[in-house]
């Protein structure tokens, strides 16, 4: 049945699926150099352990940070995934637009999202404007309704999902798993929490940053100090 009912969202949920390792993993990986990898995992880090993590980060001895691994399940619009998937060292699995029908979920800027861009490439800044934000939201909504209606009409008339999806905008939500080691999550955070990164991927990166901090507090502090 053709319908123009669509769902406007601006949330981009980040769910931690799995975490392998802890700050101890980094310490033990570094200490195997001297066969001092005691594999203590139940006690807290000693001041020496913390000093070692700081030393490794400061001196850019980054390979011990490659042993812990984090997997996230993220729902985000396709334009965010375009940026995310430039990070080539992660492993990805994404929902299929050939095998499943998309939900009528489209990203729409929240009222607080600055929309007026000034400056030059590489040196942009954004200014808020309630009026311009409101009119952009209306434009986005109307175009999503048209796209969704075309998608539905094509599916109703027997067009394959992989063809009908061509009508959908990059604001369509898609879900994927992303797995990477801690070193690469730090690299991702550096690039994508920065103010030059697009506002939407900054929101996703900030949520991931919270998870990194929760699971690897010492490594995260060292990263913030020496990045
Ligand atoms: C603000 C911003 C604007 C951007 N604008 C654009 C744009 O306009 N157009 C565009 O195409 N991209 C753009 N990008 C994407 C950017 O060029 C990178 O592809 C992306 O940030 C991933 O960074 P990375 O290559 O360091 O990460 P990863 O792909 O995760 O790689 C991690 C590290 O592994 C090494 N590595 C990975 N692959 C190779 C390789 N093939 N050869 C050598 N070393 C490798 C590098 O040391 C790299 O830093 C932008 C990124 C940001 C943050």
């Amino acid at each position: 049945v053709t319908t123009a009912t669509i769902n406007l969202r601006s949330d981009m949920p980040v769910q931690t699926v799995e975490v392998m390792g802890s700050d101890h993993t980094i310490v033990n990986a570094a200490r195997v150099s001297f066969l001092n990898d005691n594999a203590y995992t139940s006690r807290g880090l000693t001041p020496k352990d913390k000093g070692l993590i700081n030393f490794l980060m400061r001196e850019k001895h980054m390979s011990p940070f490659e042993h812990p691994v984090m997997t996230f399940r993220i729902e985000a619009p396709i334009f965010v995934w375009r940026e995310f998937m430039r990070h080539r060292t992660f492993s990805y699995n994404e929902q299929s637009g050939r095998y499943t029908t998309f939900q009528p979920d489209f990203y729409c800027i929240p009222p607080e999202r600055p929309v007026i861009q000034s400056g030059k490439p590489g040196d942009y800044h954004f200014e808020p404007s309630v009026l311009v934000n409101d009119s952009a939201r209306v434009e986005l909504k109307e175009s999503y309704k048209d796209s969704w209606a075309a998608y539905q009409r094509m599916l109703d008339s027997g067009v394959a999902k992989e063809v009908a999806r061509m009508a959908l905008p990059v604001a369509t939500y898609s879900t994927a798993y992303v797995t990477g080691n801690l070193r690469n999550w730090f690299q991702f955070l550096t690039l994508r929490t920065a103010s030059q990164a697009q506002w939407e991927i900054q929101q996703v990166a900030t949520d991931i940053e919270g998870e990194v901090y929760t699971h690897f507090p010492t490594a995260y502090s060292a990263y913030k100090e020496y990045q």
Side-chain angles (χ1 to χ4, degrees):
V1 180
T2 301
T3 167
T5 308
I6 59 165
N7 210 0
L8 297 179
R9 297 173 59 181
S10 52
D11 64 319
M12 290 170 279
V14 171
Q15 185 190 338
T16 302
V17 175
E18 228 157 338
V19 177
M20 188 177 89
S22 65
D23 283 327
H24 270 290
T25 312
I26 301 159
V27 171
N28 287 336
R31 293 218 170 111
V32 78
S33 298
F34 300 97
L35 290 180
N36 276 341
D37 52 318
N38 295 321
Y40 288 132
T41 50
S42 54
R43 64 153 167 77
L45 290 185
T46 64
K48 243 179 136 180
D49 295 336
K50 289 183 181 174
L52 175 59
I53 289 179
N54 279 330
F55 166 81
L56 294 168
M57 186 66 80
R58 192 182 68 232
E59 300 302 319
K60 305 282 180 244
H61 293 316
M62 296 303 287
S63 53
F65 296 95
E66 294 169 16
H67 295 280
V69 174
M70 300 182 87
T71 300
F72 300 106
R73 180 188 191 275
I74 302 168
E75 294 173 48
I78 288 168
F79 71 86
V80 168
W81 284 119
R82 284 290 305 267
E83 296 186 341
F84 212 126
M85 289 184 181
R86 299 306 313 279
H87 297 265
R88 295 157 290 176
T89 53
F90 292 142
S91 300
Y92 297 94
N93 280 93
E94 187 179 11
Q95 78 179 78
S96 168
R98 300 181 65 206
Y99 307 143
T100 63
T101 306
F102 277 99
Q103 294 299 305
D105 282 5
F106 300 96
Y107 177 80
C108 195
I109 48 170
E112 70 274 15
R113 203 269 195 223
V115 283
I116 299 178
Q117 187 182 41
S118 319
K120 53 185 184 352
D123 192 20
Y124 289 125
H125 60 277
F126 283 81
E127 289 151 27
S129 162
V130 175
L131 267 183
V132 180
N133 183 298
D134 278 353
S135 68
R137 289 162 65 85
V138 171
E139 291 286 1
L140 291 171
K141 185 174 179 183
E142 288 311 307
S143 76
Y144 299 161
K145 273 162 85 175
D146 289 347
S147 301
W148 182 250
Y151 181 65
Q152 291 284 284
R153 279 195 304 273
M154 281 191 271
L155 292 179
D156 289 350
S157 64
V159 173
K161 296 181 191 71
E162 68 183 35
V163 174
R165 69 173 171 177
M166 295 173 195
L168 295 177
V170 289
T172 309
Y173 268 77
S174 182
T175 301
Y177 269 43
V178 189
T179 298
N181 70 50
L182 190 58
R183 177 184 185 173
N184 286 323
W185 284 117
F186 285 141
Q187 160 82 353
F188 173 84
L189 293 181
T190 297
L191 292 169
R192 301 302 184 176
T193 58
S195 59
Q196 308 93 293
Q198 173 147 353
W199 192 88
E200 282 74 16
I201 201 165
Q202 281 187 52
Q203 313 308 306
V204 175
T206 301
D207 283 354
I208 291 172
E209 186 174 29
E211 291 299 297
V212 171
Y213 167 71
T214 299
H215 293 281
F216 302 95
T218 305
Y220 176 80
S221 306
Y223 157 71
K224 288 305 276 181
E225 175 106 25
Y226 300 114
Q227 65 174 303

